[in-house]
Amino acid sequence: MAELMYWEALRRAHDEEMANDPLVICMGEDIGMAGGTYKATQGLYDKYGAERVIDTPISENGYTGLGIGASFLGLRPIIEIMSVNFAWLALDQLFNSAAKVRYMSGGQLEAPVVVRSPGGVAHQLGAQHSARMEKVFMGIAGLRVVTPSNPRQAYGLLKSAVRCNDPVYINEHELMYNFKGEVPDEEYFHPLEGSEVAREGKDVTLFGYNISVHWCLQAAETLSQQYGIEAEVVDLYALSPLDRAGIRASVNKTHRAVIVEEAEAPVGVGSEVMAIINEECFFELDAAPVRVSAANVPMPYNHTLERAAIPKADDVVAAVRKMFGK
Amino acid sequence: MNVADKKRLLREMLFARRFEERCYEAYVERKIGGFLHLYPGQEACAFGVMEAARPGRDYVITGYRDHVHAIRCGADPKAIMAELYGKETGSSRGRGGSMHIFDVEHHFMGGYALVGGPFPLAAGMAKAIKMKGDDDIAICFLGDAANNQGTFHESLNMAALWELPVLYVCENNLYGIGTRIDRSTAVVEQYKRVSAYGIPSDQIDGQDIEVVFKAAQKAVKHVRSGKGPYFLELLTYRYRGHSMSDSNAYRSKDEEKMWSKRDPIIMLRDRLIEAGEITKDDYKAMDTEILDQIEDDIIAYAESSPEPKVEELEKYVLAENDPWVRGGKN
């Protein structure tokens, strides 16, 4: 098993899927000749040519719609939107065309497109380059949403997404492209539904996804070493549909839940997971579930304000300590 | 276009007219729900362009005023009426409605309800055709008001840049719902707007099917030969309001009267009568036959068809049993 960076894992998945199927194409701003802002398509322009690795104009709704139209006739486009903040412009085509076409055609037509885009708060990028939009995508029927927390998932989720006949949105993170992790040497397809237990524990469940899984793992170590609390960390790599069974199983085991999200709390992953806990295992709870979320503000530029606006591992530790009265 | 073709087109256009008028009645009777956008007045646009293309083979996409384009591509009018009635036998199994007619088997790739939504979808279909090396083309029919959407400009730019085989047909009926084109659009002549992208274009009379056919032949030939996109602006007029909820009070009686004298069906009918190819009685008999067919076959089918099952409410949201959802062959 080789250790790859997140971007290398994505690049490998692109390369393998393009080699496997001549109908797989990649589209996006600067992804071709320039190699991609995050290098996820590096070298593929030279290998597969301009017809299949397409540098698009800065027209997010237009090229997303173009990819969707191409998928109607059997192409398998992987569309990179350089920043999730720009994806707002493409929501019309993604939601109105891709997500609904199977249903409103009575099953005649499908849009097997993959849209990948990094969200999250990087370093001082300000209000219009720091959106966390997973909450927007995960409420749309007909669209699958996944969000890899490590290179293995980044590789395997993209491979499955390309082959799946539903439109899939892959929520990546600006800060995670250089994260390292083990990726199987052999070809690997990650399930698009479910969740993974990233750390076993018995006292409390920390639910995270994407970058917040790492905060949860750090917090779990601190809780174990300093407070004798064994936290289970559940990685919700699939945000739509959410893994009801997985959420229930872990809460039934630990009887306590903390949901950790980089996004603002209203109408988010945390509120949705909390609703599922309420519906599925209310009487198993030993304490009220808690959310650790970002401040509900447009992201400030100032470094100190920015750090204060988003959660960190210490905030997770504090939330758990409060829950246990420690 | 020979006499036999003209006679056939007269019948097809009259059928489309009567079909839409019957939809109006069914809507008033509350058999059809939702929004209903009707086509009378614009028939020569769809029929004239498709006469120059390959219906059932070239890929056609349009907006919400979509029944007639679907029929011309080969969709069964019974399935369309059943769709309007919301029945399981409808073209979209009652899940789509008037604005979302689909017949993928006949390459009618759908009616879409976001104004301007189909522009990039058509370019994408053209991209797929080009990559596969087929000689089909994509044809996108939309109204003039759609050209004020960003997707118009974004799609024309990409279609021209990548020389995609797509024909954009602008059915300019002069109104975006109730706002006349000169009150919404700085450059009223739509064909001029595409010159910014280096796309060849024509503005022609959209009421005379022979004129439309001739212009479409040239446009289709251009697109099919691999020279990239083409844009046709057809000057036309819709007789009814934008949709059934539109009182149509914004247009003068004089204007409506003027356009009614340029009715695409009447013009072709009179031409055939003058040439001695049909008589007035032939036309009346044909009309009666069509009205009977609509009533006896089409309406009866829609009326008697079953409703979708509530147990299947969530069918068609996602692919069924897609192995890759579980990680495929792992």
Side-chain angles (χ1 to χ4, degrees):
Chain A
M1 202 172 293
E3 191 165 75
L4 293 181
M5 284 201 259
Y6 198 95
W7 71 266
E8 291 172 318
L10 286 168
R11 192 206 162 281
R12 180 180 151 197
H14 279 97
D15 192 7
E16 286 178 7
E17 290 307 299
M18 293 194 78
N20 172 66
D21 182 353
L23 296 177
V24 175
I25 62 170
C26 302
M27 304 170 56
E29 295 152 7
D30 265 8
I31 67 145
M33 206 177 269
T37 306
Y38 306 103
K39 299 188 283 190
T41 50
Q42 195 179 59
L44 302 182
Y45 181 87
D46 291 334
K47 189 167 177 182
Y48 297 104
E51 283 290 305
R52 292 184 64 198
V53 181
I54 304 162
D55 283 312
T56 64
I58 301 175
S59 307
E60 285 83 6
N61 202 34
Y63 67 70
T64 300
L66 192 146
I68 293 163
S71 80
F72 289 173
L73 270 62
L75 263 54
R76 297 264 163 178
I78 307 170
I79 302 165
E80 177 179 297
I81 298 181
M82 189 186 275
S83 157
V84 83
N85 301 267
F86 314 157
W88 287 112
L89 296 163
L91 295 188
D92 163 44
Q93 286 297 334
L94 193 57
F95 292 177
N96 280 314
S97 302
K100 293 175 182 168
V101 76
R102 182 192 301 283
Y103 199 84
M104 65 189 193
S105 70
Q108 291 183 67
L109 201 54
E110 58 192 13
V113 288
V114 178
V115 176
R116 305 173 31 245
S117 190
V121 180
H123 295 304
Q124 292 191 273
L125 300 183
Q128 293 188 339
H129 271 68
S130 304
R132 291 126 292 158
M133 274 174 61
E134 53 278 9
K135 62 167 75 178
V136 178
F137 293 95
M138 64 187 275
I140 303 299
L143 181 68
R144 293 184 175 278
V145 181
V146 294
T147 185
S149 67
N150 58 50
R152 174 180 56 85
Q153 289 181 0
Y155 166 77
L157 286 170
L158 176 54
K159 292 200 36 112
S160 295
V162 169
R163 301 201 184 193
C164 175
N165 288 325
D166 295 317
V168 181
Y169 173 68
I170 304 182
N171 183 63
E172 297 169 5
H173 198 292
E174 297 250 5
L175 289 183
M176 290 173 67
Y177 290 105
N178 289 332
F179 278 29
K180 277 185 186 166
E182 290 194 332
V183 179
D185 294 328
E186 67 279 11
E187 194 171 38
Y188 167 66
F189 295 88
H190 198 287
L192 297 171
E193 294 183 1
S195 60
E196 284 180 350
V197 176
R199 183 189 194 278
E200 296 262 5
K202 59 180 176 44
D203 299 326
V204 58
T205 303
L206 309 179
F207 289 101
Y209 62 93
N210 191 258
I211 200 166
S212 74
V213 171
H214 301 275
W215 304 339
C216 292
L217 288 169
Q218 281 171 40
E221 283 306 305
T222 306
L223 288 165
S224 174
Q225 284 166 19
Q226 297 184 20
Y227 302 97
I229 297 169
E230 292 306 320
E232 177 147 297
V233 177
V234 173
D235 181 341
L236 299 169
Y237 62 79
L239 295 181
S240 182
L242 274 165
D243 183 19
R244 295 183 82 90
I247 292 168
R248 184 176 58 226
S250 186
V251 174
N252 283 353
K253 178 178 165 192
T254 65
H255 309 287
R256 293 171 194 263
V258 177
I259 305 113
V260 185
E261 56 192 339
E262 195 196 16
E264 315 88 327
V267 205
V269 177
S271 43
E272 199 55 39
V273 172
M274 212 178 262
I276 290 172
I277 292 170
N278 231 357
E279 290 162 0
E280 298 281 337
C281 36
F282 181 80
F283 293 105
E284 291 287 334
L285 289 170
D286 286 346
V290 171
R291 284 180 291 184
V292 177
S293 313
N296 194 14
V297 295
M299 194 50 56
Y301 162 71
N302 174 273
H303 175 72
T304 307
L305 292 179
E306 182 185 67
R307 288 305 107 191
I310 53 169
K312 48 193 176 301
D314 287 351
D315 298 323
V316 182
V317 172
V320 174
R321 286 178 60 196
K322 193 178 170 193
M323 185 179 267
F324 282 85
K326 285 190 177 180
Chain B
M1 194 185 282
N2 62 36
V3 172
D5 289 333
K6 287 181 197 173
K7 284 186 184 173
R8 174 178 48 80
L9 284 166
L10 180 66
R11 186 188 183 91
E12 288 174 357
M13 287 201 292
L14 184 60
F15 176 86
R17 173 75 54 89
R18 297 302 186 218
F19 183 92
E20 294 288 83
E21 288 171 346
R22 189 61 182 83
C23 291
Y24 177 92
E25 287 174 33
Y27 191 88
V28 173
E29 294 165 10
R30 299 188 177 220
K31 303 277 189 180
I32 297 175
F35 287 128
L36 181 69
H37 307 80
L38 298 172
Y39 203 56
Q42 301 184 202
E43 290 89 350
C45 300
F47 285 98
V49 170
M50 290 312 294
E51 191 65 13
R54 300 172 184 163
R57 203 171 142 190
D58 289 327
Y59 293 86
V60 173
I61 192 164
T62 188
Y64 36 76
R65 203 178 303 282
D66 57 352
H67 314 163
V68 173
H69 301 84
I71 290 172
R72 184 59 194 100
C73 288
D76 183 350
K78 292 208 293 277
I80 296 175
M81 190 62 83
E83 184 62 30
L84 304 182
Y85 272 61
K87 299 297 182 73
E88 180 66 24
T89 54
S91 41
S92 294
R93 298 175 188 276
R95 272 75 166 176
S98 168
M99 300 191 283
H100 306 303
I101 303 295
F102 287 79
D103 186 341
V104 173
E105 188 193 339
H106 291 100
H107 293 185
F108 180 70
M109 307 303 277
Y112 297 80
L114 273 287
V115 175
F119 284 126
L121 300 174
M125 294 195 297
K127 166 69 187 172
I129 290 166
K130 188 172 180 174
M131 255 190 74
K132 292 177 177 180
D134 297 337
D135 75 340
D136 301 327
I137 65 170
I139 306 176
C140 177
F141 290 90
L142 285 174
D144 48 292
N147 299 348
N148 289 330
Q149 287 282 15
T151 48
F152 172 73
H153 301 276
E154 295 183 8
S155 303
L156 290 178
N157 179 49
M158 291 186 289
L161 182 67
W162 299 325
E163 296 180 328
L164 301 179
V166 53
L167 170 61
Y168 286 108
V169 180
C170 172
E171 301 187 25
N172 182 356
N173 64 20
L174 307 175
Y175 288 84
I177 310 185
T179 302
R180 206 175 55 214
I181 189 166
D182 58 308
R183 296 184 59 239
S184 66
T185 308
V187 176
V188 167
E189 287 161 313
Q190 299 303 297
Y191 76 99
K192 288 184 179 171
R193 301 177 77 186
V194 305
S195 64
Y197 303 101
I199 296 174
S201 64
D202 295 310
Q203 182 193 55
I204 54 158
D205 176 6
Q207 299 307 86
D208 186 333
I209 192 163
E210 294 184 62
V211 172
V212 175
F213 171 65
K214 209 172 164 192
Q217 272 189 314
K218 180 181 156 198
V220 166
K221 191 178 169 194
H222 174 96
V223 175
R224 208 183 297 286
S225 68
K227 291 179 185 157
Y230 204 100
F231 183 90
L232 272 183
E233 179 186 3
L234 311 179
L235 296 174
T236 187
Y237 202 72
R238 62 169 152 75
Y239 292 161
R240 296 200 178 276
H242 165 75
S243 72
M244 293 294 286
S245 57
D246 175 4
S247 66
N248 203 14
Y250 44 83
R251 304 194 297 199
S252 73
K253 291 287 164 238
D254 286 348
E255 181 181 291
E256 289 182 357
K257 208 174 190 180
M258 183 191 87
W259 280 94
S260 71
K261 285 180 188 159
R262 306 213 67 256
D263 184 284
I265 297 170
I266 302 299
M267 285 201 300
L268 180 59
R269 179 197 72 181
D270 290 351
R271 217 172 274 165
L272 285 167
I273 289 173
E274 268 174 43
E277 297 296 342
I278 63 166
T279 65
K280 275 186 179 172
D281 286 344
D282 291 340
Y283 180 79
K284 273 184 195 161
M286 181 170 77
D287 197 6
T288 307
E289 206 178 297
I290 287 169
L291 290 168
D292 288 348
Q293 184 198 347
I294 290 172
E295 218 53 47
D296 300 345
D297 292 350
I298 295 168
I299 293 290
Y301 180 79
E303 293 271 1
S304 64
S305 285
E307 296 270 329
K309 294 189 184 112
V310 173
E311 304 86 78
E312 294 187 345
L313 172 66
E314 292 178 14
K315 208 176 171 184
Y316 310 120
V317 175
L318 294 167
E320 277 178 41
N321 302 317
D322 192 311
W324 303 105
V325 169
R326 302 184 302 278
K329 62 186 178 186
N330 288 328

